[in-house]
Amino acid sequence: MKKWLLTLIIFPLFLMGCDPDVKPGFSQKQLHGHWILTKIDGKDVSISEPRSVPSMAIDSDLKVAGFSGCNRFFGQVELAKGYKLRVVAMGATKMACIQEDEAHVEKVMTKSLQKWNNVALENQILTLTSELHILTFLPTDHSPEEESEQ
């Protein structure tokens, strides 16, 4: 009787382990393209005019180039464990960042990209989560109306 009862208790625990895990991640090909930084730690990114919006472009060789708020940057995307990303060998121009909002965005973006980030790519929203910050990117062909519908 005790063995039967024990089986009834343990069996449902095994079934719970059968649910498919939803893993963060992406395919390498999905990263290719031009991405605009829209949020840092859940807050909208705002850059004073006439500056460009912070963004990055990743090519098929995983080379990255972009604009981080004040300066242009470039480097190589490194992938690990199927869902981690960082930018190595990053270089950048050295323009003076006069406005505080631009300087803050640039510092956060460049430092975060150089750390290992967990990557989630869902509904055309690329989310990079490092130990420092959460960066949210949209592809350039993504309209703001699509984001509000989701």
Side-chain angles (χ1 to χ4, degrees), residues 2-90:
K2 288 181 183 179
K3 289 182 183 179
W4 181 250
L5 184 60
L6 186 60
T7 304
L8 287 175
I9 293 171
I10 294 175
F11 185 69
L13 295 175
F14 285 116
L15 289 179
M16 287 192 302
C18 293
D19 290 337
D21 287 24
V22 177
K23 294 183 179 176
F26 54 92
S27 73
Q28 183 175 323
K29 188 175 180 179
Q30 289 174 298
L31 291 176
H32 302 170
H34 193 263
W35 298 93
I36 296 174
L37 179 65
T38 59
K39 294 182 185 213
I40 295 175
D41 299 329
K43 296 178 185 170
D44 290 337
V45 171
S46 62
I47 295 292
S48 306
E49 291 293 328
R51 290 287 191 173
S52 298
V53 177
S55 62
M56 65 179 176
I58 302 173
D59 71 12
S60 59
D61 295 326
L62 295 180
K63 290 182 180 162
V64 64
F67 179 72
S68 55
C70 293
N71 290 287
R72 297 208 137 301
F73 70 92
F74 56 90
Q76 182 70 42
V77 171
E78 184 177 20
L79 303 174
K81 300 179 186 173
Y83 61 91
K84 295 222 180 238
L85 173 151
R86 72 176 173 181
V87 176
V88 294
M90 184 183 275

